[in-house]
Structures are given as structure tokens and as C-alpha cells.
Amino acid sequence: MEHSEYSVIIIGSGLAGLFSALKLASYNHLPDGILLITKEILGKSNSKYAQGGIVGVMSQNNKDSVELHVNDTLKAGCGLCEKETVEYISELSDEVINDLIKNGVVFDKDSNGNITFTLEAAHSVNRIMHVGGDATGNGITKVLVDNVRKNPNITVLEHSVVAELLINNENKCKGVVIYNELTGEHQVAYSSATVIATGGVGQLYKYTTNPSCATGDGIDLAYNAGAVIRDMEFIQFHPTALALSPTSNERFLISEAVRGEGAKLVDKSGTEFMGKYSDKRELAPRDVVTRAIYKEMQVTNSKNMYLNASIIDKERLLMRFPTISRICMLRGIDISTSPIPVAPAAHYTMGGIKAEVNGRTSVDGLYAIGEVASTGLHGANRLASNSLLECAVSAYELADFLSFVNLEIPHVIDTSIMKTIDLYKKPIDDADYDIPKLKTRLKDIMWNNVGIIRTENELMYAKSQIAELKDNFKRNRKCANIQEYEYRNMLTVAEIVAESAIQRQESRGAHSRSDFKQTDEIAKHSIITNNNRISTEIAQYAK
């Protein structure tokens, strides 16, 4: 089997993966270079589709402070944020965002040339920065992709998926097994530092704002390598995704920033309803708005509610949200005159691989950054636009940390690693699985039973159905193609989400149980590992 050697291997090409690769390459201490592996084309990720913006407590914004941002984040996180992590990321935001600017990112500015700051739900002041109005993620990742492609110290491997991490006899990660879709072959890459930056798990659900690549690959890899997985029951359902028809699974994101500019949620008769659910109305935290829309849909037996943006000044509306306006217009909706049909959709994973801000996990040599990681920033409910900031800060800190680590290539390959490699040299059977059909079945199970409102009966049913799907899919290690690897990974992560949701017998943040409506006095993280299925740990900031 072909093999190669690199100082650092990065899996995933969203903001976290791209920025960490660039920062590492800038330190000039990596004799064997960087391998960046991406499942599709470089830059296709959740980051690319992020509309709302990026949080920054910037020195030029005299209305904001680290203390205000920390308080807003802790409040949204419902007791599960780690306060020290929140403070650290907030304090570093000015420095890191200025580094993005040095890399070529151009944030929107006013007529005087000053960066503009806008408001989103659950933020106490205007602190959200944007690129291209409502195309922030695309604007940032485009710049970083261009820089990565120009960097001679970064090798990019597209259309490839990591099948398994190479864990040695001492429980240290020493590289990866890769399936290259273009060659149809498996190959090995060795390194003493492997970074998982694979994003979220939105494709577990029938309705999601996430791109097709968000299949939980990194969670599966880390879980099977023995890493600690934390708080996977906390899946954020974005309240306002474009809902064209009951037969369409398309859920194009309608940014929270539209409500931040003054748009109102209404039913089919045009009546506003958020006042019944929160005194903050449209600017309540996402979990509150999502459940309000969901409840109104149930009460009125409707497939969607509506977002009325026509009350915003037309010139400002179209200038501020050009992408949303264009996408809606292509589907026959003029947002300046007509309400936008919206419904919730799976959007963001608050839990993930337990990691420090610099990416360190419980497995030596394995790092996790971005949405795939659980650093303690988001808690039980992510504050809007904190996610891109976390990606940037963690990438920044990872590169700094690895600059002091001995990144020698592991030339001694022990029996554990050889056993894994030998498995991928063997042929597989010729079974023909209908992966699109199987994925659809799994998505339906998750949406109907592990969704916005949960009960023990539904969760137990989901768990049994997922187990049945796993039993019927015999390829739990080597697979025939990327689609099979995705499905394999989705099954693992779906099981983890369902099991975590069963064990959390309370309602907190994005996890809502109709059979356990109370919020426990002591906030606890849920912990799952592949050798000790489920446990808990008390959160640092318990209320």
C-alpha cells in the first residue's frame, strides 16, 4: 500500500482546517510539510455556507467588551459553557480577526471606511462582522482557499476520505488510512500530529442547512480511536430555513441576521406570534425561537411559518442580504414584498470531540478544531456567529501549540498500526448497498425521533432502528467508496446522538424532552467513549 510522510495532517477544509494549515505553514518549522485532506473540493464545508457573520470584540467597537460577550455566551449556553474557554476565545478575537484581515479577508465597511457591526439574537450589542452582506463564510473561505493553493508547504488531497486513524500500542495517533476516490485505492499517511477539522453532522437529519459533506466523519474517527466524545445530544436546529414545500428537502439558510435587522415571524394570516414565547421576541436564543415555530406549526397543522422581511427598508434589505434575496427570487419569492416560508432545520453541532482551545484531545497526537470539537464555548445552545470565531481562534492556537511540539515522523510502526493497515489491504465482498436509500431511512429516523422535541419512547425506537441498520450493513471498517464511508460514519454518530439524548433526562438548551421538562440544578456534560459507553462530568459553570 502506498504511503507518505508529513509533519502535520489536517482532515477538513473549512475555516478551521484552512486557517490552521496557513498558520502552521507560516512558522517554517515543518520539514515534511502539511497534508490537507478534503472529501470534496477544497473549501466546501459548513464554513462556506455561513451567512450571519463572525463575532469579534474589536478595539474599534467602543460599545462592546469581553465581559459583555462572555455574559451573552454563558447565558445562551444554559450552564454548559466552560467560562475560562469563553473568556479566552473572546479575549483573543481582536488579534485573530486582524490576522484574517492580514490574510486578505475584507469585512464590510461603512461610508467612512470603518468595519460595520450588526446585531443578532441573544447578543446585547452590535458585534457581528460580515463579508459581502450575507456571504461571510464564503468570503472568508474563498480567501483562505486561494492562499492555501499558493502555499508550497501545503499538499492538498481532494476527493478523499480518511477511513481510519492509525493508533499505536501506546494509544498515540501516528497517521491515517485514506481512501482516494479518484484512484479507487487506499493509502497511508504517517504523522505525529493529526488534526480533525471535519465540521458537523447535519446530514443525519432529513432537513438540514448543512452541505452534503456534513456526515459526522470526524466524530466517527475519534470515537473509534478511543477519544472522549462530549454533549452530542445538543444539536442546534436553526429556526428559519427556507421551506418551499413539504416534498422538498431543501432548507436554504435564512440568516438570523434578517431578524436582527427587524424582520418578524408571522403565521399564514400575517399575525406575529413570538411575543407568546419570549419578551425578546424574534431576538430570543435560537432554541427558544425554534421551539416556538415548531409549536405554531403543530397547533396550526402547518408545514411552515413565515418571516416577514418586507417591513425592512427595501434598499437596505437588498443591500444587506443579496444572497438570500437572489436565492429566494430564483424560487419566486421577492423578499421585499412577500413573506418567506420558513421552518426549522438541523444546523449546528454543539457537542463533539472533547478538546482544548488549541485542539488537544484525550488521544496523544490527535487534535480537533472547529465544529467537530467540544471546547466548552457553545454549551447547550450556541450563541449566533460564535462558531466562525471558534474556528479561527482554535486554528490560531493549534498552530502556536504545535510550533513547540516535536513533529518527527514515526518511523517505527508497531503491531497495532500494521494490523490496521493489513485490514485495508484485504479485498471486501461484492455486496451492493443502496446507500442513498439507506441514508434516507436513517435521516427519517433521526428527524422523526431525535429531533426538536424528544421523548424516551421515540429515542429508544430510534436507537433500535439504528442498531438494525448497523447490523444490516456489514462494512464497519473498510468500505468500497466514499458514500459507504459516509453511511458507516453516520450510523456511528446517529447512535451516539440518540444514546446521549436518552441519558440526558432533563431539558436544557437545544435538548428538549417533553417527558423531562425540568432543567436540573447541576449542569453536567455527557461523556461517551467506545470503551466506557456513557458517563457525566459536572460543568465548570454550573448554572
Side-chain angles (χ1 to χ4, degrees):
M1 186 183 294
E2 179 185 345
H3 78 273
S4 52
E5 300 175 348
Y6 296 90
S7 297
V8 180
I9 297 171
I10 300 172
I11 312 166
S13 66
L15 171 54
L18 294 167
F19 196 36
S20 62
L22 288 168
K23 292 303 295 180
L24 282 163
S26 72
Y27 287 150
N28 295 319
H29 72 291
L30 305 176
D32 294 288
I34 300 162
L35 174 63
L36 197 160
I37 305 166
T38 187
K39 195 164 57 174
E40 298 194 26
I41 60 172
L42 192 66
K44 184 169 182 181
S45 62
N46 277 352
S47 297
K48 179 179 179 179
Y49 296 95
Q51 297 172 0
I54 184 169
V55 167
V57 181
M58 309 298 287
S59 58
Q60 60 264 52
N61 186 1
N62 56 21
K63 295 182 180 179
D64 199 11
S65 69
V66 167
E67 183 180 6
L68 284 173
H69 178 225
V70 169
N71 288 339
D72 291 345
T73 301
L74 293 177
K75 189 172 183 179
C78 302
L80 279 181
C81 297
E82 300 298 326
K83 190 176 182 181
E84 290 179 0
T85 297
V86 179
E87 290 173 337
Y88 191 84
I89 290 174
S90 183
E91 289 166 355
L92 209 60
S93 61
D94 186 287
E95 180 180 347
V96 170
I97 287 171
N98 276 302
D99 200 315
L100 286 172
I101 292 171
K102 290 177 185 176
N103 272 271
V105 175
V106 179
F107 290 101
D108 294 347
K109 299 176 180 178
D110 61 22
S111 57
N112 295 318
N114 299 314
I115 292 176
T116 54
F117 300 98
T118 63
L119 184 68
E120 290 187 8
H123 287 271
S124 57
V125 299
N126 291 32
R127 63 166 66 97
I128 317 299
M129 292 166 285
H130 301 86
V131 178
D134 58 355
T136 304
N138 185 58
I140 294 174
T141 55
K142 185 178 186 301
V143 169
L144 299 183
V145 164
D146 290 343
N147 291 347
V148 165
R149 289 202 183 278
K150 294 173 186 174
N151 197 303
N153 294 321
I154 304 172
T155 299
V156 176
L157 184 60
E158 296 177 303
H159 302 290
S160 298
V161 64
V162 172
E164 191 162 342
L165 301 174
L166 294 174
I167 306 298
N168 69 9
N169 293 332
E170 298 176 344
N171 196 39
K172 296 179 180 180
C173 184
K174 295 298 181 181
V176 297
V177 178
I178 305 163
Y179 174 75
N180 187 323
E181 186 178 48
L182 299 181
T183 64
E185 300 291 335
H186 288 81
Q187 60 196 78
V188 171
Y190 295 115
S191 177
S192 287
T194 299
V195 182
I196 298 178
T198 52
V201 307
Q203 286 296 324
L204 289 181
Y205 289 90
K206 180 178 182 179
Y207 300 115
T208 180
T209 62
N210 290 185
S212 60
C213 54
T215 52
D217 305 330
I219 303 293
D220 173 88
L221 290 172
Y223 175 78
N224 287 315
V228 172
I229 310 298
R230 183 168 72 173
D231 294 340
M232 283 300 294
E233 65 271 34
F234 294 108
I235 304 295
Q236 188 170 74
F237 293 86
H238 198 287
T240 54
L242 182 63
L244 293 173
S245 74
T247 58
S248 172
N249 286 3
E250 180 183 4
R251 287 293 186 269
F252 175 77
L253 178 64
I254 305 298
S255 171
E256 189 157 316
V258 181
R259 285 179 281 129
E261 293 293 336
K264 300 296 182 181
L265 286 162
V266 298
D267 60 22
K268 62 182 178 181
S269 67
T271 303
E272 297 178 22
F273 58 82
M274 275 308 301
K276 294 188 293 183
Y277 298 95
S278 172
D279 57 1
K280 292 185 177 181
R281 304 176 71 89
E282 279 75 14
L283 295 182
R286 285 182 177 177
D287 62 313
V288 175
V289 181
T290 294
R291 286 192 289 272
I293 292 173
Y294 185 73
K295 179 70 177 295
E296 291 294 313
M297 287 167 57
Q298 287 184 315
V299 169
T300 61
N301 194 27
S302 303
K303 298 297 183 182
N304 60 270
M305 290 289 109
Y306 295 89
L307 185 64
N308 180 16
S310 66
I311 58 179
I312 304 171
D313 175 74
K314 181 176 181 179
E315 183 178 355
R316 175 167 178 74
L317 177 67
L318 300 184
M319 180 181 68
R320 179 70 178 78
F321 304 108
T323 306
I324 292 173
S325 175
R326 177 177 57 83
I327 294 296
C328 287
M329 187 65 78
L330 288 172
R331 289 150 179 78
I333 302 165
D334 181 347
I335 66 172
S336 69
T337 60
S338 302
I340 307 167
V342 293
H347 181 61
Y348 191 86
T349 313
M350 269 82 73
I353 306 163
K354 185 181 179 183
E356 299 175 18
V357 175
N358 60 21
R360 293 179 68 187
T361 73
S362 58
V363 176
D364 191 10
L366 181 65
Y367 304 82
I369 56 175
E371 187 176 350
V372 75
S374 173
T375 64
L377 174 64
H378 305 303
N381 186 41
R382 176 176 68 98
L383 183 66
S385 292
N386 265 354
S387 50
L388 290 183
L389 174 62
E390 181 186 38
C391 287
V393 170
S394 291
Y396 196 85
E397 289 298 286
L398 168 78
D400 184 63
F401 177 79
L402 289 181
S403 68
F404 297 99
V405 174
N406 183 352
L407 297 176
E408 291 184 358
I409 302 300
H411 293 292
V412 177
I413 308 304
D414 64 22
T415 55
S416 178
I417 289 177
M418 287 310 304
K419 183 178 179 181
T420 299
I421 292 173
D422 287 344
L423 186 150
Y424 286 89
K425 291 179 180 179
K426 297 177 181 178
I428 56 175
D429 61 59
D430 58 357
D432 185 19
Y433 295 100
D434 188 342
I435 298 299
K437 183 177 179 180
L438 290 171
K439 282 185 176 181
T440 296
R441 172 62 181 149
L442 178 60
K443 288 167 176 276
D444 285 341
I445 291 168
M446 293 297 289
W447 181 262
N448 294 328
N449 301 282
V450 197
I452 297 167
I453 306 294
R454 299 161 176 178
T455 68
E456 183 166 0
N457 287 341
E458 290 171 339
L459 292 170
M460 293 301 293
Y461 175 77
K463 183 179 176 180
S464 68
Q465 292 299 296
I466 295 165
E468 184 177 315
L469 290 175
K470 288 189 75 171
D471 287 343
N472 292 331
F473 185 66
K474 305 303 181 184
R475 293 177 184 158
N476 61 353
R477 300 288 286 275
K478 184 178 181 180
C479 294
N481 51 53
I482 284 182
Q483 286 286 315
E484 286 192 0
Y485 276 116
E486 286 184 331
Y487 180 61
R488 180 201 73 174
N489 299 343
M490 289 167 69
L491 287 170
T492 299
V493 180
E495 188 174 54
I496 292 172
V497 173
E499 182 64 41
S500 300
I502 290 168
Q503 296 299 324
R504 186 171 291 278
Q505 296 183 347
E506 64 164 346
S507 291
R508 184 183 297 273
H511 172 73
S512 182
R513 293 277 300 259
S514 62
D515 49 352
F516 291 98
K517 295 182 180 180
Q518 87 291 347
T519 299
D520 293 347
E521 183 177 354
I522 302 298
K524 295 181 180 180
H525 295 291
S526 63
I527 300 295
I528 285 185
T529 59
N530 66 349
N531 55 8
N532 180 18
R533 284 291 299 170
I534 187 79
S535 60
T536 62
E537 63 180 19
I538 296 176
Q540 177 202 60
Y541 188 74
K543 284 291 283 184

